Amino acid sequence: MMEVQVWCDLLLLQIKQSTWMEWLAVAFGVAEVLYAKANKIWLYPTGIVSTVISMYVLVAAGLYAEGLLNVYYLAMSIYGWWYWIKKKDSPPVKITYCTRSEWTTVVLITVVGFMILYVGLKNFTPSAVPVWDALVSAAAWAGMWLLAKRKIENWILLNISNLIAIPLLLYKHLMLYSGLTIFLFVVAVQGYIKWRKIIKNENQHSVKVTP
């Protein structure tokens, strides 16, 4: 019981020591997720603010690959904002499962991405956690590629990234970011369940209309 109290006190202390930049980035990150869930265009500007601040915070904490990952998120947010405005009246791409060739691409993105990031972190940065930092980003890259193609397995890859990121962020004393990542993990689980229901309903509908 005493150990639990000590751990809770330490956790509270680390939260209090979080910088205003962390609080701001996490607040905008939460807003982005909520806007995304509500399918509102405001997800992009809030996401851009969160990403720009997070780049600085993560690099300052020695998580260089995650900082680089946020550069990718920034580019995708800008593109997504533009694409939303341009294609807002077009029908959405259907949600589907990965094909064998797409799984091959996922493996390539993850493995090659990990190797490039690990070598870069090991040889050109003072990173103390090159393996885990590289794994988080490589899995997220694959997940984001699947998300862009509306593949349900994107939630699996993103949550693999989240599962690795949570203890990594705790290790770096980024308590607010670890809390945000836990929140994103829950949202990803909900996203997978929702997308599976959509696929099931679409398949049942197609069977009914087939003569």
Side-chain angles (χ1 to χ4, degrees), residues 9-116:
D9 290 341
L10 179 61
L11 179 63
L12 184 60
L13 177 63
Q14 290 178 343
I15 291 175
K16 288 180 178 179
Q17 290 175 342
S18 299
T19 66
W20 67 269
M21 292 187 73
E22 291 175 53
W23 283 101
L24 192 61
V26 169
F28 274 99
V30 170
E32 177 193 9
V33 173
L34 294 177
Y35 279 127
K37 193 173 181 180
N39 203 31
K40 301 292 184 181
I41 196 172
W42 277 98
L43 78 97
Y44 293 112
T46 52
I48 288 170
V49 173
S50 177
T51 300
V52 170
I53 299 173
S54 294
M55 278 188 240
Y56 173 80
V57 172
L58 292 168
V59 170
L63 296 176
Y64 303 101
E66 286 208 56
L68 181 62
L69 178 62
N70 274 268
V71 175
Y72 174 73
Y73 287 158
L74 176 62
M76 290 300 293
S77 294
I78 294 171
Y79 171 76
W81 197 355
W82 168 81
Y83 190 78
W84 181 301
I85 294 171
K86 183 179 179 183
K87 300 288 187 179
K88 63 180 181 179
D89 297 322
S90 302
V93 179
K94 276 192 172 185
I95 298 167
T96 56
Y97 287 98
C98 274
T99 62
R100 183 175 296 181
S101 62
E102 286 166 338
W103 268 119
T104 301
T105 302
V106 166
V107 172
L108 285 173
I109 291 173
T110 306
V111 173
V112 175
F114 170 77
M115 290 174 64
I116 292 172

Side-chain angles (χ1 to χ4, degrees), residues 164-186:
I164 302 169
I166 292 167
L168 183 61
L169 292 165
L170 287 171
Y171 172 74
K172 288 293 184 175
H173 305 295
L174 295 173
M175 310 306 294
L176 297 180
Y177 277 93
S178 63
L180 176 61
T181 306
I182 292 171
F183 178 62
L184 294 176
F185 181 90
V186 174

